[in-house]
Structures are given as C-alpha cells and as structure tokens.
C-alpha cells in the first residue's frame, strides 16, 4: 500500500513530509492552483468556473489568484469549449476543460473521440493534444437520470484517450497534476459524492504516474478491484469481511487507461479470487474489461470465476428508494465476496 | 440566397505594380497546381492505384488560393474532407500530398491520415477533418491560443455549406465574437450538401447566421480569386489587428461530384448547370482572361505555367508511386504522444 511519502517526487525536500487532511475538492483545487502557477499555458474553461467556482465549489478562489483571463467562464456550450480546448492544446496551451456532469459527455463526444483522441495518430505523430477534461460521475445525489451516470467506459473505449478515476484526495491531486503535464488528452472523473471526503495530502510537491494501480488494503483471501466511488465501498466491505475472518485485498487501478494489468493480475494470483466493482453500468462496462484482464492473466491461480458488480442496467431513477438499489453498496459487495469464498 | 458582390475594381492600366502582377501570376500558378493535382487524383482513382476515395476541389481553387495568399506561413488553417486545395495553397508540397493519398511512408502523416486528414504543422495546417464542421472548434481554439499568448497569428476555418447544419459552428462563433478572437470562418458554398442542394437544408440567408453573433461578415464571388483575395486581405488584417472574427461567404462550385466515385449526378444537378460553371465560371479561365487583358501574361505565358505545374504533378505522383509503404510495426505508433 502506498503512503503519501512513498510516491513523493524528488523536489529537494528532505525529512518527513508535512501531511494535512484535505477534502477531495481541496486537493483538486490545490493541484490546479499549483499547475496554473507552474505553467502559464494552463487555463481553465467551463460553465461557472470563475466567481461561482462551479456548483460544487471545487474551484473557489482560483479566479481571485489567476484572474478571468485564465479561469474563464464560458457559455453553456460543452462541445464548443472542448473544441476550443483541442485547438488550443494543438497550438501550445494546456487547457483544463470543466464539464460539470459526466452525463454531458454525450455533448462533447465528437470533440473527444473523433478530434482530441485521433489528432496525434492521424497526423503521423506531429500534432499533440495536451488537454484535460475534468468531469464527474456517481449516483445517489438524488439528481435523476441525466445528472447521475458514471460514463467512463465510453471514453475508456477510445484509443488515444487516457482516463483517470481518483478515489482519494491524495490520488486526485497527484493524478491531476500528472494529467495536466501529459501530452495526451486525459479525461479525469471525479466522484461528486466524494468532494467532501477527507484524506491525508502532503504539502510537498508530488505527482502520481498514470497507469500505476494502488493497493488500498492488503489481504490474502480475495481481491476486490474497485474504482473511484467504489473504493470506499470496497474498503467498508473489507472491514465487514475481516470480522468474518475473510482477508480482502482492495486494489484501485486509478486509471482505466493506461491500465496497470500486472498489479491486478498479481493480486488475483495471490488471493485466487476476484471481484470487480465499478459504478458504471454493468452491461459492457469497465468491469467486463477488468474482469477479462484478471481471468486471462490469473486463470491458473483462480479458485472461482471473476465476478463483476456495476450499476444496475437502468436509467438512474430519482426516488431515493429506487436509486439506492442501483449502485453497489458495502453490504452487496460483502455478500458477493462471502459467496465467492464459500461462506454464504 | 445572399448577394454576390462584384469583383473589387482593379486598375485598368498595363502598369500594375510589379508586386501585384507577381501576386496574381502566383495565384494562377497555385490554382493550376491544385487543378492538375486533383485531375491526377481522379486518374489514380479511376486506374485503381489509390486506396479509398477522395473529394476533389476542382472548381473551388480561387477560395483556398485567394484566402491563403493573405496568410503568413505561421498562421493557422483547418480544412475539410474536400481539403487538398487548402493544404496546397497553405504551402504543402505535391509529392508528399500524393504520398499521403497513397498511404505511403513519406506522406504528411506517414500514411495514417489519408486524403481527409492531411495535417502539416510546418505550414500551420492543423488538419483536414472528415467530420463536417468538426474543425470549427480547433480553428477557434488556435485563435484563442494565439490571443492568449499575445501572438498575432490568425486562424482560418474552411468549411462548406453543409457545415452550416452543425451546432458546433454556432457555439464557437459565439465565443469568437464574445472574446474577439482572430479567426476567419470561410464558408465555401458549392451549392450541395453531398447530394442535396443547400436550399433544401438551410433556412434563411447564410450570412445572417454570422451577423446574428455580431461577427463582421462579407460575401464574394468565390470564382474570382482577386475578389476573394481583396475580401480576405481586409478580414485577415482586421483580425490580426485585434478587431475580432469574421465570416466570409464564397459562392463556388465543385466541378466533380461529392467524391471521385460520384459519377451519375443528374438526379441532383443538371449537366447544363455543370457546363455553365465549367465554361463560364471557371476561376482559372476568369483569372487567365484578366491577366491577358491587363497585359500581365499572354496565353503562352500561362501555358508555360501550366507546363511547369504539370511537370511538378507528374514528378510528385511518380515519387509517391515509387515510395515505400510504412513499416507494419508503425500501426500502433503515435496512438499516444
């Protein structure tokens, strides 16, 4: 399991890092502020990103420091601001485009999948698109079917895009800084239900490479691969399982692409059982890809089929009693793990 | 239908300044290169030596050449599926263009882009685009970056009448006007969205759409390269000077079909209409007549230019036919930077 100090980049600091508790929102804001200070080609564009600081208040304070020339309120034109971002990225800028809800990916998909993702390849490697699209995922906010989806599978499918899904404040800050410095388009998904989640974040500069999974909790009996919002769910399930005498290992891939297959496979080889938990729709979702990676890579070590848990294959309903059924919970993950371990 | 403006008046003496004479001779040369390039592409298709299809620019040369003649090498353009003319007018070389069309290693994109995706950063070409209207964001973003970085580069977004049906164009025109971005939207109205006349798909007057955003708008005869040049010169200068975006409507015509395989066209346009444009409205004939009338170049001078271009095209296509294909191992290179 990595600790904040374990992945500190070499910036000349010596001695123990100064670690504070930050919320996920604060960690993201800090990452953006640091990169805005570091690189004058970084700018943020989106709806209500300046004085309003977004409806989630993630960006509060940035416009005061960096001004409206770099923290830019846009019209409600998701495709347009993404397209501007692609063009600006191709010509020397490092845009961070704010797409308030992941459900709006439909509005920007041509600019992401047909433009941003393909420019480098189609140009034979001459043009680059160092673009970050920040957006959100996650249900149970009582926001109904068009503001609650987790659609990272859509972009994970497209060669040319990178996809990050941080699950802690520490990961969010380190991954976002890397994403901004990356020369490729990166879609960065934040769980809007986790913005107030607190966690340790060092004051010292650090980055986290894309494509390196993190073992959030070590265990020996079963591997639970979980993404973004589901990592906390898996950790609670692991606590439940521990009380039952089952030792669960929780592995967070942190990025869908690049994907750290080795860590997933090694964990499943060690434990001989694996569940993949993700908040996207289960049907044709990222759980299928992750489960296939484990099934192919750890086949001879497995004592049970790899199981998947995603969101129910229904549009996210509004009524709380209906909505709460649609996503994996610590209870459902615990039950599935027990079954897989022959303890049901 | 918008009003087509008459050509800007030009001096009637034979003493046009040397610079101006050379400019229009150079435009003739450039238009001939594009025309002969496209005829060669058509031949490559018909003789089954080119993979896939191509959308020929023949008949529309005055637009690309007149506009690009006002641009610096470091200014940006974005182009369309019908983009060979834009790429050549912005400075691409004929041999590497052919190589790309044939999927060969020395092509501008190492054969990975093909006819509809030629990009050449050395000449400011941010890429042809096979999504109709798809490059409007890129061109506007390049203009945004230029302004944000305190540069004076302008961006030209070429698109056809079909792109007027795409919402992205209006989103970015709105932002370009709001933020006074140095971008010129050049609409090439060749009358047809693929196989459908634009009047069946496009409501109202075309230029009113840009005017609604408060964008400076002009319209010219797209077959008259001098008119295109004069209008573009003004729009590019004002954009470079910080006066914001512009929209230039150029009325033009594609001599061939939507693509090289579109042979039977009478169900959507008449042979008489095609004949009229080819004989009465050919931008090469029109400029040639003017150059002769002005005493700048006689028929033998123009023939000489055509011979030079023919030789360049022949050498270019030979280069491409002889060039190697990319290594098979290149298939998964350049997916990520």
């Amino acid at each position: 399991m990595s600790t904040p100090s374990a992945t500190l980049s070499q910036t000349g600091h010596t001695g123990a890092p100064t670690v504070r508790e930050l919320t996920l929102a604060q960690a993201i804001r800090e990452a953006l502020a640091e990169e805005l200070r570091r690189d004058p080609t970084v700018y943020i564009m989106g709806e209500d990103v300046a004085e309003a600081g977004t409806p989630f208040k993630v960006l509060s304070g940035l416009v005061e420091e960096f001004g409206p020339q770099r923290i830019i309120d846009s019209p409600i034109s998701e495709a347009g601001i993404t397209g501007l971002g692609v063009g600006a990225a191709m010509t020397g800028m490092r845009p961070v485009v704010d797409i308030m809800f992941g459900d709006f990916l439909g509005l920007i998909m041509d600019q992401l999948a047909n433009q941003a993702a393909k420019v480098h390849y189609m140009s034979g490697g001459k043009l680059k698109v160092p673009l970050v699209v920040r957006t959100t995922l996650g249900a149970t906010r009582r926001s109904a079917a068009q503001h609650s989806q987790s659609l990272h599978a859509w972009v994970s499918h497209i060669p040319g895009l990178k996809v990050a899904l941080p699950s802690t404040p520490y990961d969010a800050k380190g991954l976002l800084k890397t994403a901004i410095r990356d020369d490729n388009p990166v879609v960065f998904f934040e769980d809007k239900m986790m913005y107030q989640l607190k966690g340790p974040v060092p004051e010292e500069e650090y980055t986290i490479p894309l494509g390196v999974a993190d073992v959030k909790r070590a265990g020996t009996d079963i591997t639970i691969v979980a993404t973004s919002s589901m990592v906390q769910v898996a950790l609670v399930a692991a606590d439940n399982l521990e009380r039952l005498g089952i030792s669960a290992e929780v592995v967070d891939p942190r990025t869908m692409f690049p994907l750290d297959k080795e860590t997933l496979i090694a964990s499943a080889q060690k434990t001989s059982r694996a569940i993949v938990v993700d908040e996207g729709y289960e049907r044709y979702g990222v759980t299928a890809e992750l489960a296939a990676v484990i099934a192919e890579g750890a086949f001879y070590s497995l004592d049970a089929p790899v199981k998947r848990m995603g969101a129910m294959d229904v549009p996210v309903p509004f009524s709380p009693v209906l909505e709460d059924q649609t996503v994996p919970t610590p209870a459902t993950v615990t039950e599935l793990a027990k079954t897989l371990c022959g303890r049901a | 239908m918008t009003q087509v403006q008459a050509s800007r008046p030009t001096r009637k003496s034979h003493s046009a300044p040397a610079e101006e004479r050379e400019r229009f001779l150079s435009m003739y040369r450039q238009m001939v290169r594009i025309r002969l390039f496209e005829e060669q592409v058509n031949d490559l298709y018909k003789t089954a030596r080119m993979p896939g299809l191509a959308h020929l620019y023949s008949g529309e040369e005055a637009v690309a050449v007149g506009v690009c003649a006002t641009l610096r090498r470091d200014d940006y353009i974005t182009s369309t599926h019908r983009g060979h003319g834009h790429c050549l007018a912005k400075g691409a070389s004929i041999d590497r263009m052919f190589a790309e069309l044939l999927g060969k290693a020395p092509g501008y994109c190492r054969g990975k882009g093909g006819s509809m995706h030629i990009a050449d950063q050395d000449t400011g070409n941010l890429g042809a685009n096979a999504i109709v209207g798809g490059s409007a964001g890129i061109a506007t973003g390049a203009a945004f970056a230029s302004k944000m970085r305190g540069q004076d580069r302008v961006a030209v977004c070429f698109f056809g009448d079909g792109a007027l049906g795409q919402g992205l164009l209006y989103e970015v025109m709105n932002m370009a006007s709001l933020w006074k971005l140095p971008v010129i939207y050049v609409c090439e109205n060749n009358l047809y969205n693929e196989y459908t006349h634009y009047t069946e798909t496009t409501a109202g007057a075309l230029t009113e759409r840009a005017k609604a955003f408060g964008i400076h708008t002009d319209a010219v005869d797209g077959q008259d390269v001098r008119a295109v040049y004069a209008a573009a010169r003004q729009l590019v200068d004002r954009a470079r000077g910080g006066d914001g975006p512009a929209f230039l409507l150029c009325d033009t015509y594609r001599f061939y079909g939507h693509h090289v395989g579109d042979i039977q066209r009478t169900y959507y346009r008449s042979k008489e209409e095609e004949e009229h444009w080819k004989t009465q409205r050919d931008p090469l004939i029109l400029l040639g007549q003017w150059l002769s009338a002005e005493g700048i170049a006689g028929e033998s001078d123009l023939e000489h230019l055509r011979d030079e271009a023919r030789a360049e095209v022949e050498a270019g296509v030979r280069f491409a036919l002889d060039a190697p294909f990319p290594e098979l191992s290149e298939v998964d290179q350049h997916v990520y930077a």
Side-chain angles (χ1 to χ4, degrees), chain A residues 80 115 121-122 126 161 184, chain B residues 108-109 129 149 171 331 336-337:
Chain A
Q115 310 297 340
Y121 191 84
M122 290 195 305
K126 287 186 294 191
L161 300 179
N184 299 283
Chain B
Y108 272 106
C109 309
N129 210 299
R149 304 175 86 186
E171 294 191 14
V331 65
Y336 291 94

Side-chain angles (χ1 to χ4, degrees), chain A residues 10-95:
Chain A
Q10 300 304 309
T11 52
H13 291 286
T14 53
T18 315
V19 177
R20 310 136 304 154
E21 289 278 310
L22 293 186
T23 65
L24 186 83
Q26 288 169 328
I28 287 165
R29 187 184 312 141
E30 205 169 80
L32 290 166
E34 287 178 10
E35 295 306 300
L36 283 157
R37 270 178 223 127
R38 178 180 174 271
D39 183 347
T41 68
V42 176
Y43 72 86
I44 295 172
M45 185 180 288
E47 294 148 23
D48 294 316
V49 296
E51 285 78 9
T54 78
F56 303 113
K57 302 299 172 195
V58 175
L59 306 183
S60 299
L62 292 181
V63 73
E64 282 77 9
E65 179 175 352
F66 300 102
Q69 306 302 318
R70 296 182 71 195
I71 313 296
I72 304 159
D73 277 338
S74 76
I76 300 177
S77 302
E78 285 85 0
I81 61 175
T82 307
L84 245 71
V86 177
M90 289 166 68
T91 54
M93 306 299 288
R94 290 190 178 271

Side-chain angles (χ1 to χ4, degrees), chain B residues 7-206:
Chain B
S7 296
R8 266 55 169 182
T10 45
R11 74 183 67 237
K12 271 288 164 201
S13 80
H14 288 194
S15 58
E19 189 187 343
E20 188 168 318
R21 295 163 58 115
E22 180 48 41
R23 176 184 306 135
F24 290 116
L25 272 176
S26 166
M27 289 187 198
Y28 187 88
R29 187 181 299 119
Q30 194 67 280
M31 290 201 296
V32 166
R33 288 173 80 234
I34 296 170
R35 177 69 56 87
L36 295 178
F37 180 91
E38 296 293 56
E39 286 177 1
Q40 181 65 64
V41 173
N42 197 39
D43 188 59
L44 287 169
Y45 169 74
K46 288 198 297 188
T47 53
R49 288 179 293 170
M50 181 180 74
L53 294 170
H55 308 76
L56 303 182
Y57 196 65
S58 302
E60 308 187 19
E61 296 90 344
V63 179
V65 171
V67 170
C68 288
T70 68
L71 298 178
R72 298 193 317 227
R73 190 176 175 87
D74 68 343
D75 286 331
Y76 300 111
I77 64 162
T78 62
S79 172
T80 71
H81 58 285
R82 198 177 305 290
H84 305 163
H86 309 129
C87 300
L88 288 168
K90 192 64 174 62
S93 74
I94 278 177
D95 51 1
R96 295 190 64 200
M97 288 274 296
F98 274 130
E100 188 59 36
L101 265 61
L102 296 183
K104 298 294 186 73
Y108 272 106
C109 309
R110 296 199 62 79
K112 281 178 167 151
S115 165
M116 294 196 286
H117 301 293
I118 291 172
D120 175 24
Q121 64 179 7
D122 293 339
T123 57
N125 177 2
L126 297 177
N129 210 299
I131 304 295
V132 171
S135 77
I138 293 171
T140 311
F144 175 83
S146 173
K147 178 162 186 170
M148 198 162 183
R149 304 175 86 186
Q151 300 172 333
D152 67 346
R153 300 159 96 168
V154 306
V156 169
C157 181
F158 289 105
F159 55 91
D161 43 293
L164 293 171
Q166 294 284 19
L168 176 72
L169 181 65
Y170 304 102
E171 294 191 14
V172 298
M173 285 204 299
N174 178 53
M175 286 184 271
S177 183
L178 270 176
W179 301 330
K180 286 186 112 177
L181 303 182
V183 55
I184 294 102
Y185 301 99
V186 177
C187 178
E188 302 175 319
N189 180 11
N190 66 16
L191 306 184
Y192 295 92
N193 302 182
E194 284 199 336
Y195 315 111
T196 302
H197 198 273
Y198 81 96
T199 52
E200 295 176 44
T201 61
T202 319
L206 307 192

Side-chain angles (χ1 to χ4, degrees), chain A:
Chain A
M1 175 158 60
S2 76
T3 61
S5 59
T7 47
L8 277 180
S9 61
Q10 300 304 309
T11 52
H13 291 286
T14 53
T18 315
V19 177
R20 310 136 304 154
E21 289 278 310
L22 293 186
T23 65
L24 186 83
Q26 288 169 328
I28 287 165
R29 187 184 312 141
E30 205 169 80
L32 290 166
E34 287 178 10
E35 295 306 300
L36 283 157
R37 270 178 223 127
R38 178 180 174 271
D39 183 347
T41 68
V42 176
Y43 72 86
I44 295 172
M45 185 180 288
E47 294 148 23
D48 294 316
V49 296
E51 285 78 9
T54 78
F56 303 113
K57 302 299 172 195
V58 175
L59 306 183
S60 299
L62 292 181
V63 73
E64 282 77 9
E65 179 175 352
F66 300 102
Q69 306 302 318
R70 296 182 71 195
I71 313 296
I72 304 159
D73 277 338
S74 76
I76 300 177
S77 302
E78 285 85 0
I81 61 175
T82 307
L84 245 71
V86 177
M90 289 166 68
T91 54
M93 306 299 288
R94 290 190 178 271
V96 179
V97 174
D98 188 295
I99 301 295
M100 201 180 291
F101 288 89
D103 310 73
F104 306 162
L105 280 179
L107 296 165
I108 70 168
M109 200 50 110
D110 182 66
Q111 293 303 307
L112 267 185
N114 280 326
Q115 310 297 340
K118 293 177 173 49
V119 162
H120 186 64
Y121 191 84
M122 290 195 305
S123 68
K126 287 186 294 191
L127 296 165
K128 293 175 185 170
V129 186
L131 168 74
V132 173
V133 172
R134 285 183 47 248
T135 191
T136 56
L137 57 67
T140 70
R141 195 166 169 266
R142 315 312 180 207
S143 303
Q146 294 173 339
H147 287 73
S148 302
Q149 297 170 94
S150 300
L151 297 173
H152 43 290
W154 288 9
V155 284
S156 301
H157 185 60
I158 302 295
L161 300 179
K162 294 185 178 182
V163 182
L165 297 99
S167 66
T168 67
Y170 174 78
D171 287 353
K173 183 178 177 187
L175 290 170
L176 183 53
K177 285 168 68 77
T178 304
I180 291 170
R181 297 179 195 185
D182 197 287
D183 278 340
N184 299 283
V186 182
V187 189
F188 194 89
F189 286 89
E190 298 159 15
D191 175 17
K192 51 192 174 288
M193 297 300 289
M194 267 183 356
Y195 276 133
Q196 299 313 313
L197 176 85
K198 285 193 168 180
V201 179
E203 276 185 15
E204 289 77 4
E205 165 106 22
Y206 70 97
T207 58
I208 299 172
L210 307 181
V212 178
D214 187 36
V215 177
K216 296 295 186 198
R217 174 188 171 121
T220 54
D221 298 329
I222 185 169
T223 295
I224 305 176
V225 176
T227 63
S228 183
S229 51
M230 293 296 107
V231 171
Q232 298 302 323
V233 168
L235 288 170
V236 175
D239 284 343
N240 295 342
L241 292 165
E242 186 176 20
R243 284 192 288 276
L244 301 168
I246 298 171
S247 167
E249 178 152 296
V250 177
V251 182
D252 176 3
R254 298 200 287 203
T255 50
M256 290 295 99
F257 191 89
L259 178 64
D260 181 356
K261 296 181 179 182
E262 291 72 22
T263 300
L264 304 189
I265 292 166
S267 176
Q269 284 173 332
K270 182 179 75 174
T271 63
S272 79
R273 294 177 178 83
I275 298 174
V276 183
V277 191
D278 174 81
E279 202 178 335
Y281 298 123
E282 191 168 295
R283 191 168 77 192
Y284 296 95
V286 300
T287 54
E289 178 75 15
L290 299 176
V293 163
I294 294 168
E296 288 169 3
F299 180 77
Y300 294 105
S301 307
L302 292 175
D303 290 331
V306 183
K307 299 296 284 183
R308 298 183 288 144
M309 288 187 88
M312 276 177 77
D313 295 322
V314 297
V316 180
F318 170 70
S319 176
V321 296
L322 298 178
E323 184 182 27
D324 287 346
Q325 297 178 74
T326 66
V327 293
T329 61
T332 57
V333 174
T334 304
E335 281 310 304
L336 184 62
K338 281 168 59 185
T339 305
L340 219 57
C341 293
R343 298 280 294 276

Side-chain angles (χ1 to χ4, degrees), chain B residues 149-291:
Chain B
R149 304 175 86 186
Q151 300 172 333
D152 67 346
R153 300 159 96 168
V154 306
V156 169
C157 181
F158 289 105
F159 55 91
D161 43 293
L164 293 171
Q166 294 284 19
L168 176 72
L169 181 65
Y170 304 102
E171 294 191 14
V172 298
M173 285 204 299
N174 178 53
M175 286 184 271
S177 183
L178 270 176
W179 301 330
K180 286 186 112 177
L181 303 182
V183 55
I184 294 102
Y185 301 99
V186 177
C187 178
E188 302 175 319
N189 180 11
N190 66 16
L191 306 184
Y192 295 92
N193 302 182
E194 284 199 336
Y195 315 111
T196 302
H197 198 273
Y198 81 96
T199 52
E200 295 176 44
T201 61
T202 319
L206 307 192
T207 48
E208 293 303 313
R209 295 176 174 219
K211 285 179 187 166
F213 294 107
I215 289 180
H216 184 86
T217 302
D218 201 353
V220 291
D221 174 2
Q223 305 308 89
D224 180 349
V225 73
R226 293 178 302 124
V228 173
Y229 175 80
R233 174 89 274 161
Q234 188 197 5
L235 303 183
V236 168
D237 287 348
R238 63 183 293 288
R240 205 185 300 289
D243 290 334
F247 183 98
L248 178 62
L249 177 64
C250 300
D251 288 295
T252 186
Y253 197 76
R254 60 174 205 232
F255 285 180
Y256 290 90
H258 170 56
H259 58 64
V260 285
D262 175 20
I263 307 295
Q264 301 300 330
R265 301 186 286 267
T266 49
Y267 71 93
Y268 70 87
R269 69 185 201 187
S270 70
K271 288 204 161 101
E272 292 72 25
E273 179 186 290
E274 293 188 358
E275 207 52 29
H276 168 75
W277 283 87
K278 287 179 185 172
T279 57
Q280 309 298 312
R281 308 286 299 127
D282 183 330
L284 272 169
I285 295 175
L286 295 178
L287 180 61
Q289 287 170 345
W290 181 82
L291 289 167

